[in-house]
Amino acid sequence: MKIVLKNLTKVFTNAKTKTEVRAVDNLDIEIPDGKLVGLLGPSGCGKSTTLYMISGLQTPTSGQIFFGEEEVTRLAAEKRGIGLVFQNYALYPHMTVRNNIMFPLTNMKVSKKEAQERVEEAAKLVQLEGLLDRKPSELSGGQQQRVAIARAMVKNPNVLLLDEPLSNLDARLRLQTREEIKRIQRETGVTTIFVTHDQEEAMSISDFIVVMKEGVVQQVDEPQKVYDDPANLFVAKFLGTPPIDVFTGEVKDGKVYVNGEAIFEKDVEDQEVYVGIRPEGFVVDPDGVFTCELKQIEVMGRDKSIIAANPACEKATFRTIVDSDIKIDSDVVKFNLKPNKVFLFNKETEKRI
């Protein structure tokens, strides 16, 4: 099921002060049929509000929502054919796993025989076949989340909506469960929207990501393309672990200067810029063009992390990732830079140059 959002806007008004907060501002995107799309951004960026408008739990202030060719902007949530999974699972503690999964079908007045068959199919899909007679308290956090997914999938939804589904899980379970979500989406082919503030989660399982800031879409593309070709400084900073290193600089006579050193050439007009360099974009070289002060070296298995300082860096120190066999015997370290890992941004607009 293709989903199209046209000029979608949601404004909340404070009842006491009458001030307005534009949670989602003129959102205009298309989510392809059968794809898993991540809505990504910091807390308060409007991603959950967008999900709730798609689900029908919140009504847009303006704009339109289409499922396929049908406009569903004002359609009741229960008539949209969606499955919704929250971060807190929302399971009924007094019911067995079987009855939790079956609950939506009971409300839909599906026959008992068909309901049992669909519960068995959903349980098999999330690999919980042997746990149907347990109570939620007898399951791990990851298993409880899979019950919630099965309950959403048992309705055979046209669209699956996941609101921060991994937030309450520990690191190991998050990794395992996101792999499960990806597998389930691939097996069923259901169009899925996955809300998260965790860029690693979004990049690892999404076919496309929608990066949002203060209710406004910043960039939409395949995860790797967004990482390799950020539209602005916010996107560049938000994606990447470790995060991108940012320096103040200037372009003068076709060369980019940082702290007085010409670090590479760029044929753009003279201007002040922010220079973003991915941590993997640094190459240690005694004759390098970029001089920094060595602060610390951390060995991380096959890689080595060099923590250095430069007066033009926006932070006290910055981090690079280099090969583990690199040796440095001085308090000063020089780098050359990989051109495809260096980005320039206008200092006023923060848009990519």
Side-chain angles (χ1 to χ4, degrees):
M1 177 73 73
K2 179 177 72 173
I3 300 173
V4 178
L5 310 179
K6 289 187 177 181
N7 308 121
L8 199 64
T9 297
K10 182 64 177 180
V11 178
F12 292 101
T13 303
N14 186 296
K16 291 183 179 180
T17 65
K18 305 301 180 184
T19 55
E20 292 186 345
V21 175
R22 194 168 285 261
V24 176
D25 190 3
N26 203 34
L27 198 65
D28 199 1
I29 58 174
E30 180 176 312
I31 297 169
D33 178 33
K35 298 296 184 181
L36 195 160
V37 175
L39 295 185
L40 175 65
S43 179
C45 74
K47 55 189 184 295
S48 289
T49 300
T50 300
L51 192 83
Y52 296 153
M53 287 191 288
I54 294 171
S55 72
L57 295 181
Q58 289 186 357
T59 303
T61 304
S62 61
Q64 296 172 292
I65 303 170
F66 292 87
F67 283 8
E69 301 303 318
E70 180 187 4
E71 183 178 356
V72 299
T73 313
R74 307 294 169 181
L75 192 66
E78 63 271 16
K79 296 182 179 179
R80 296 193 184 193
I82 58 106
L84 182 57
V85 179
F86 297 99
Q87 69 181 67
N88 62 358
Y89 320 143
L91 302 180
Y92 297 104
H94 64 287
M95 291 185 181
T96 62
V97 169
R98 184 187 307 277
N99 289 336
N100 265 284
I101 297 174
M102 191 182 295
F103 188 78
L105 302 181
T106 303
N107 287 343
M108 294 165 60
K109 302 192 183 326
V110 174
S111 70
K112 188 172 182 179
K113 182 176 182 297
E114 182 184 347
Q116 291 285 5
E117 291 173 352
R118 285 165 66 169
V119 168
E120 296 285 347
E121 290 173 3
K124 185 176 181 180
L125 180 67
V126 299
Q127 299 178 347
L128 289 175
E129 307 98 298
L131 304 177
L132 285 172
D133 294 321
R134 293 190 184 183
K135 298 285 182 64
S137 61
E138 300 175 281
L139 305 178
S140 69
Q143 289 170 333
Q144 290 182 45
Q145 187 59 284
R146 280 190 277 159
V147 174
I149 293 171
R151 185 176 58 189
M153 294 300 297
V154 79
K155 298 186 292 182
N156 296 329
N158 295 317
V159 178
L160 178 62
L161 306 175
L162 306 169
D163 185 24
E164 301 270 11
L166 310 181
S167 297
N168 293 337
L169 304 180
D170 62 36
R172 182 182 62 82
L173 278 176
R174 278 202 304 273
L175 181 62
Q176 179 183 339
T177 308
R178 79 186 189 200
E179 291 172 353
E180 285 295 299
I181 289 171
K182 185 73 170 178
R183 176 187 63 80
I184 291 166
Q185 195 277 330
R186 286 288 179 266
E187 287 185 12
T188 61
V190 63
T191 303
T192 300
I193 302 174
F194 180 98
V195 163
T196 181
H197 64 273
D198 188 317
Q199 50 99 8
E200 183 179 335
E201 283 179 8
M203 291 188 70
S204 65
I205 72 170
S206 302
D207 297 307
F208 294 90
I209 56 174
V210 179
V211 185
M212 298 181 67
K213 176 189 177 184
E214 296 175 355
V216 178
V217 171
Q218 304 296 302
Q219 192 166 356
V220 182
D221 212 328
E222 297 173 20
Q224 194 62 45
K225 288 184 179 179
V226 176
Y227 181 84
D228 290 336
D229 192 18
N232 56 44
L233 185 59
F234 172 81
V235 174
K237 285 183 172 183
F238 200 77
L239 267 67
T241 304
I244 196 168
D245 302 312
V246 179
F247 306 84
T248 56
E250 64 173 342
V251 180
K252 188 175 181 180
D253 299 329
K255 293 183 179 180
V256 178
Y257 290 86
V258 172
N259 194 34
E261 294 183 297
I263 62 171
F264 67 99
E265 296 183 354
K266 185 74 171 179
D267 186 19
V268 297
E269 64 182 29
D270 291 0
Q271 59 187 293
E272 292 186 337
V273 295
Y274 289 115
V275 181
I277 308 172
R278 293 290 184 197
E280 67 272 21
F282 295 84
V283 179
V284 176
D285 186 335
D287 300 317
V289 296
F290 191 34
T291 306
C292 300
E293 180 186 356
L294 179 66
K295 291 294 187 180
Q296 188 178 342
I297 295 177
E298 296 177 354
V299 179
M300 305 179 296
R302 65 180 183 180
D303 295 324
K304 183 176 288 185
S305 183
I306 296 175
I307 300 171
N310 185 284
C313 186
E314 69 170 5
K315 297 181 179 179
T317 61
F318 66 94
R319 183 181 293 269
T320 76
I321 299 174
V322 298
D323 291 338
S324 60
D325 57 357
I326 294 293
K327 289 182 172 52
I328 302 172
D329 301 316
S330 169
D331 291 337
V332 174
V333 57
K334 289 194 170 189
F335 299 101
N336 282 323
L337 304 171
K338 300 176 183 178
N340 64 330
K341 298 296 182 180
V342 182
F343 310 105
L344 294 187
F345 305 92
N346 182 278
K347 198 167 184 180
E348 292 185 4
T349 67
E350 298 190 353
K351 291 182 178 179
R352 174 90 172 277
I353 298 173

